[in-house]
Amino acid sequence: MMAHTLPAATGFLVSARQGGDRAPGPVFATRGAHESVAEALRNQTFDAVLVHSGSPGDAVARAGDTALVLAGELYNREELLTLLPSGSDAGTDAQLVLALLGVYDLHAFRLLNGRFAAAAALGDRVLLATDHAGSVPLYTLPAPGRVLAATEIKALVPATAGTPPAGRPVADARRVRRVPGVHQVPAGTVLDLDVRTGTAVPSRTWAPALSRRVLSEADATDAVRRTLERAVKARTGGTTPLVVLSGGIDSSGVAALAAAHTDGPLDTLSMGTDTADEFAEARVVATHLGSSHREITVPTADLLGQLPYAVWASESVDPDIIEYLLPLTALYRALDDPARRILTGYGADIPLAGMHREDRLPQLDTAVAFDMATFDGLNEMTPVLSGIQGHWSTHPYWDRDVLDLLVPLEAGLKRRYGRDKWVLREAMSALLPQETVTRPKLGVHEGSGTTSSFSLLLMDAGVPDADVHRAKSLVVKEIFDRVVVEGLPPGLVSTADAVHQVAARLKETE
Ligand code: IOT
Ligand code: MG
Ligand code: MG
């Protein structure tokens, strides 16, 4: 495939309807040009607004009575092409998915390894699909005669104003806080909607393994290296990627594999604050790989002030997740380069239980099972985080093949010889300095001082120690209500105001 920095589209708002009014105006946090597309099908009109990077036509496909839009990209194109007759019109990812729909109907989505959200219209049906991990969030507002869907909640909010379309309940789908009728399409799911009635039937297209595999040390480490290498290679898109590098094993592993597939030096970037950083550890890796390395220091006051941007981009109300995403939001916003393709080490700690610092195998496997059962709806992988600055981010550890390998590894391969994430460390040991391979886990929220600075901000406002976590949750919800539900620009919403409101509210209810 050609080298592409960004996918053809990075977001969309679609309206499929039997007749009647036009789609609502588009509102996205994702930066990019907008393009309107209208497809008149036999039984419905399918309108879309795409957030695109220059070739919006590549994100749309039409054949006969079927139309499809795709935000994001596929990572197993070669494999998928073998399923189609040679000479099939499948030059773009959207065309490829459309062609597979013609053969497999909605089961086509079970075949895809990618980072995408898709909407297709055919007959009286609308199909809304997420990738296996729901890594590109997708929301829908279904009503009789009209189905709306978008990659950001805020794009659907205007349609809920005035006389809200009743908004059909959607089986198995999470409702969005304070936005009536809007549901999030679950991860690894295709919703099959009937545009006449607005009813939806969900089909799961992926689920994390519950069983555990027994492999020899050599087979496990070899498989991890090979599978991760393929995931990284598929994500470089033939360009020089930028790896956001902490100097931990996860991002350093990605950087080492990306360096091997890049002509010339790789770009790496680290962030820190005036409170804390991991600059020295990242520099060890950058020097070892010969990358072109940059460091960005964000003052802690600025970092906390950007909380509204993190919530606006991720549309997440989980305070722990927001603490992981806030330093990354600040990093991306400070990255003034033209559109970049960014690779991260995000997500490695979930299948490997890196966050839990747990050395007992039963507890470790409980953590893996719990985290793999609860990630959906947290939006921690959302491309909008870097999309607000016009960049595209992608996470090799949450490649479908990588997850299908890592999740089911028996716990003794994840914790071994007193080391956490052993199988990954061992798999990367030939590519990285020894001190990087053995470096203990440090979360981005710790290494940047985000958790402690946010706690301090609340305690300074009078929140007692024991209430800090609950107060964080309330602050995040307060900000969500401003920037997502009410649609205020994040630059007009103040972290300090939200903190003082929450502190006052907690005092009242004491
Ligand atoms: P952590 O693993 O420390 O960081 C995630 C990624 O963010 C890193 O791999 C790296 O690419 C980037 N990053 C981190 N720190 C920096 C930095 N200082 N400069 C530049 N880039 C950096 C939290 C965590 O520990 O992050 N994320 C967990 C999962 C959260 C739990 N979620 C859940 N249970 N659903 C993770 O696996 O990434
Ligand atoms: Mg990590
Ligand atoms: Mg880290």
Side-chain angles (χ1 to χ4, degrees):
M1 220 184 29
M2 280 184 349
H4 288 299
T5 303
L6 265 56
T10 53
F12 61 70
L13 165 66
V14 300
S15 150
R17 62 198 194 284
Q18 289 181 290
D21 41 57
R22 291 199 55 82
V27 187
F28 298 101
T30 303
R31 187 188 286 186
H34 292 180
E35 174 84 3
S36 295
V37 180
E39 298 286 346
L41 303 177
R42 211 175 303 134
N43 298 351
Q44 53 178 314
T45 307
F46 186 67
D47 284 334
V49 178
L50 299 169
V51 185
H52 71 90
S53 58
S55 42
D58 287 354
V60 187
R62 170 86 192 260
D65 196 46
T66 307
L68 175 133
V69 298
L70 184 93
E73 60 193 9
L74 300 178
Y75 301 122
N76 64 337
R77 280 186 57 84
E78 299 310 316
E79 197 174 272
L80 295 169
L81 284 167
T82 67
L83 301 172
L84 298 171
S86 61
S88 296
D89 193 11
T92 67
D93 289 352
Q95 287 170 340
L96 178 50
V97 177
L98 185 82
L100 291 167
L101 269 180
V103 181
Y104 294 93
D105 198 81
L106 61 75
H107 303 284
F109 292 106
R110 300 181 197 277
L111 299 165
L112 311 180
N113 179 2
R115 172 160 170 76
F116 66 86
L122 56 164
D124 292 310
R125 301 161 68 202
V126 177
L127 302 178
L128 300 177
T130 53
D131 66 47
H132 63 285
S135 80
V136 177
L138 181 60
Y139 302 89
T140 183
L141 177 62
R146 190 185 74 171
V147 172
L148 296 175
T151 51
E152 295 181 36
I153 297 166
K154 59 188 84 63
L156 295 174
V157 168
T160 65
T163 50
R168 287 261 171 194
V170 180
D172 300 344
R174 191 174 282 100
R175 287 176 180 279
V176 171
R177 172 187 167 81
R178 301 216 169 143
V179 187
V182 174
H183 292 74
Q184 183 163 11
V185 181
T189 296
V190 51
L191 286 185
D192 191 350
L193 292 123
D194 187 321
V195 72
R196 296 166 302 184
T197 59
T199 50
V201 179
S203 297
R204 289 303 302 266
T205 55
W206 186 82
L210 299 174
S211 60
R212 300 295 180 250
R213 285 178 72 195
V214 181
L215 290 181
S216 71
E217 290 185 353
D219 286 352
T221 52
D222 192 49
V224 168
R225 200 196 36 73
R226 271 187 296 106
T227 312
L228 189 61
E229 183 167 24
R230 226 186 303 125
V232 168
K233 186 164 180 265
R235 279 165 178 75
T236 62
T239 65
T240 297
L242 182 142
V243 178
V244 281
L245 183 69
S246 66
I249 188 63
D250 306 337
S251 55
S252 301
V254 168
L257 293 169
H261 290 286
T262 307
D263 302 325
L266 177 74
D267 290 328
T268 51
L269 177 62
S270 294
M271 81 80 72
T273 66
D274 49 7
T275 321
D277 65 63
E278 301 177 55
F279 287 158
E281 291 84 354
R283 234 175 276 151
V284 167
V285 178
T287 304
H288 181 83
L289 299 176
S291 65
S292 164
H293 186 61
R294 278 181 285 174
E295 292 168 354
I296 290 176
T297 302
V298 180
T300 295
D302 278 15
L303 177 77
L304 294 170
Q306 296 190 53
L307 210 51
Y309 286 90
V311 177
W312 179 62
S314 65
E315 303 189 319
S316 179
V317 290
D318 187 291
D320 299 329
I321 295 296
I322 291 296
E323 283 188 354
Y324 312 144
L325 300 187
L326 179 56
L328 297 172
T329 303
L331 171 70
Y332 295 141
R333 290 193 66 232
L335 180 58
D336 282 331
D337 297 18
R340 290 302 305 256
R341 170 169 287 267
I342 298 168
L343 270 58
T344 86
Y346 200 97
D349 296 296
I350 304 171
L352 296 174
M355 299 290 288
H356 296 272
R357 299 189 169 101
E358 179 56 75
D359 52 10
R360 298 162 299 176
L361 299 189
Q363 284 79 354
L364 186 146
D365 213 358
T366 298
V368 172
F370 179 81
D371 286 351
M372 291 309 302
T374 55
F375 69 84
D376 192 13
L378 298 175
N379 293 357
E380 60 200 306
M381 314 275 170
T382 178
V384 184
L385 213 62
S386 60
I388 64 178
Q389 194 68 23
H391 307 300
W392 173 252
S393 61
T394 175
H395 316 296
Y397 290 98
W398 272 59
D399 180 271
R400 196 181 64 169
D401 292 342
V402 173
L403 277 185
D404 283 340
L405 174 67
L406 292 183
V407 173
L409 287 181
E410 65 95 359
L413 289 163
K414 300 180 184 181
R415 176 88 201 179
R416 205 172 189 87
Y417 307 124
R419 195 140 280 160
D420 65 353
K421 299 192 270 191
W422 176 83
V423 70
L424 177 63
R425 295 180 189 277
E426 187 65 18
M428 293 299 132
S429 63
L431 302 178
L432 290 167
Q434 193 56 21
E435 63 178 294
T436 305
V437 172
T438 57
R439 190 186 162 206
K441 157 102 199 138
L442 191 66
V444 59
H445 54 303
E446 301 162 328
S448 59
T450 302
T451 298
S452 49
S453 312
F454 192 11
S455 297
L456 208 56
L457 189 69
L458 286 156
M459 293 191 293
D460 284 350
V463 175
D465 223 346
D467 287 347
V468 163
H469 192 261
R470 188 159 67 98
K472 286 180 177 177
S473 172
L474 293 172
V475 167
V476 168
K477 288 193 176 107
E478 184 68 35
I479 292 176
F480 180 92
D481 291 348
R482 301 287 90 75
V483 295
V484 179
V485 181
E486 291 167 18
L488 283 176
L492 297 183
V493 175
S494 140
T495 302
D497 288 355
V499 164
H500 286 112
Q501 254 174 59
V502 166
R505 221 188 301 155
L506 285 175
K507 208 162 277 167
E508 267 168 38
T509 58
E510 247 167 29

